């Protein structure tokens, strides 16, 4: 086949030496078909590569990213474990230093040399229950919070009117009246150490139970209670202490 068209001679038009050729329709259609077929083959080849190697690439990416994340998490857990071990060692050393009976739940008041286990969740409305608890230590009032939580941790114990009966009544709070603002009180709870500083001391009516009923509506604080005057049940001596940083 010979091309048809017009040849512009030099000097006749501005397109010097240009040849314009008109192709048949069937040749143009063939060109389009082959172009489309070629593009389709390229797309199919790419799709095949994705199908064959996509899962492998995906696994490689997941592995690399996952390994990095796991290493980060593992490093964080290791640091946490190390910090927890160091803190536990600190708590054990502090308990030994202060002579705490245990680190599960106990109270230490250095100024009056009071050291005792604390019995948790003692019902204050049942005298048989709390008298039994007070034979073994200090009682934590049921319905009040535990150390480290927002609210009032309410602890109470016997007092007595004579040093001769301290042992008989397990009067751990016999000298509670000696505490003044600024004195420190320590509590061990669930292998944690909490320190408090006395802020106020007051005498309240024996029927005043607001410290217990409103226990969860206050900022974090520790309240110690005993009978007043010592050995009677006329009034109640209340000591309020606020948390301080321990380390």
């Amino acid at each position: 086949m010979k091309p048809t068209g017009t040849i512009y001679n030099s000097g006749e038009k501005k397109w010097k030496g240009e040849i314009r050729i008109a192709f048949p329709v069937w040749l143009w259609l063939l060109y389009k078909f082959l172009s489309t077929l070629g593009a389709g083959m390229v797309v199919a080849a790419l799709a095949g590569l994705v199908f064959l190697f996509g899962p492998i690439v995906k696994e490689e990416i997941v592995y690399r990213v996952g390994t990095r994340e796991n290493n980060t998490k593992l490093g964080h857990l290791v640091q946490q474990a190390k910090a927890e071990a160091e803190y536990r060692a600190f708590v054990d050393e502090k308990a030994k230093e202060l002579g705490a009976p245990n680190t599960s739940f106990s109270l230490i008041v250095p100024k009056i040399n009071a050291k005792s286990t604390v019995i948790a969740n003692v019902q204050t409305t049942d005298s048989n229950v709390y008298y039994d608890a007070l034979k073994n230590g200090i009682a934590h009032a049921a319905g009040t919070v535990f150390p480290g939580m927002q609210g009032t941790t309410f602890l109470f114990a016997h007092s007595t009117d004579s040093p001769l009966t301290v042992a008989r009544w397990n009067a751990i709070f016999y000298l509670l009246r000696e505490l003044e603002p600024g004195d420190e009180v320590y509590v061990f709870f669930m292998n944690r150490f909490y320190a408090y500083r006395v802020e106020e001391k007051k005498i309240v009516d024996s029927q005043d139970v607001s410290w217990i009923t409103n226990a969860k509506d206050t900022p974090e604080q520790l309240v110690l209670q005993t009978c007043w005057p010592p050995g009677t049940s006329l009034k109640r001596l209340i000591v309020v202490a606020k948390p301080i940083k321990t380390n």
Side-chain angles (χ1 to χ4, degrees):
M1 180 189 73
K2 297 181 180 180
T4 60
T6 304
I7 299 176
Y8 297 94
N9 294 324
S10 176
E12 292 187 3
K13 296 289 182 180
K14 61 180 179 180
W15 307 286
K16 295 181 180 180
E18 182 178 342
I19 300 176
R20 302 182 65 187
I21 301 174
F23 293 98
V25 174
W26 68 268
L27 188 59
W28 181 82
L29 293 174
L30 178 62
Y31 166 75
K32 287 294 184 181
F33 171 75
L34 293 175
S35 297
T36 304
L37 180 62
M41 293 177 66
V42 170
V43 172
L46 292 175
L49 289 173
V50 171
F51 178 78
L52 291 174
F53 297 103
I56 298 175
V57 173
K58 177 184 176 183
E59 290 299 323
E60 284 287 340
I61 294 174
V62 170
Y63 171 75
R64 302 298 176 189
V65 174
T67 299
R68 190 180 303 112
E69 290 179 351
N70 289 336
N71 287 340
T72 300
K73 290 178 181 178
L74 180 60
H76 181 64
L77 291 175
V78 168
Q79 290 299 320
Q80 276 188 325
K82 182 179 179 181
E84 186 61 31
E86 290 176 351
Y87 180 76
R88 182 58 193 270
F90 160 77
V91 171
D92 290 342
E93 184 62 29
K94 204 70 178 174
K96 182 179 179 181
E97 172 192 332
L98 296 171
N102 58 68
T103 59
S104 298
F105 204 177
S106 63
L107 175 78
I108 309 292
V109 188
K111 184 176 182 179
I112 61 175
N113 197 33
K115 303 175 183 179
S116 176
T117 294
V118 178
I119 294 86
N121 291 321
V122 176
Q123 291 295 332
T124 59
T125 56
D126 189 330
S127 59
N128 292 325
V129 171
Y130 67 71
Y131 273 126
D132 283 343
L134 293 176
K135 291 176 183 178
N136 300 306
I138 296 169
H140 163 258
T144 68
V145 304
F146 290 103
M149 300 173 62
Q150 178 179 324
T152 299
T153 301
F154 190 93
L155 307 182
F156 62 101
H158 280 307
S159 66
T160 183
D161 57 352
S162 169
L164 298 177
T165 57
V166 168
R168 178 186 174 190
W169 295 107
N170 192 28
I172 300 163
F173 283 173
Y174 167 62
L175 295 175
L176 196 64
R177 64 184 183 277
E178 300 296 335
L179 292 185
E180 299 294 342
D183 292 332
E184 294 188 0
V185 179
Y186 307 123
V187 177
F188 291 89
F189 178 67
M190 296 292 288
N191 301 317
R192 314 297 288 184
F193 175 67
Y194 300 91
Y196 300 86
R197 181 173 290 115
V198 174
E199 286 203 350
E200 61 176 319
K201 180 175 63 175
K202 59 177 67 177
I203 307 298
V204 301
D205 189 83
S206 61
Q207 303 303 313
D208 184 359
V209 294
S210 60
W211 301 95
I212 298 174
T213 56
N214 299 328
K216 296 181 180 178
D217 301 326
T218 67
E220 182 182 352
Q221 63 182 5
L222 174 69
V223 173
L224 309 179
Q225 177 202 276
T226 194
C227 296
W228 185 263
T232 75
S233 58
L234 298 176
K235 298 281 186 177
R236 298 291 184 265
L237 171 64
I238 296 287
V239 173
V240 181
K242 302 293 185 176
I244 57 177
K245 291 184 179 180
T246 57
N247 64 349

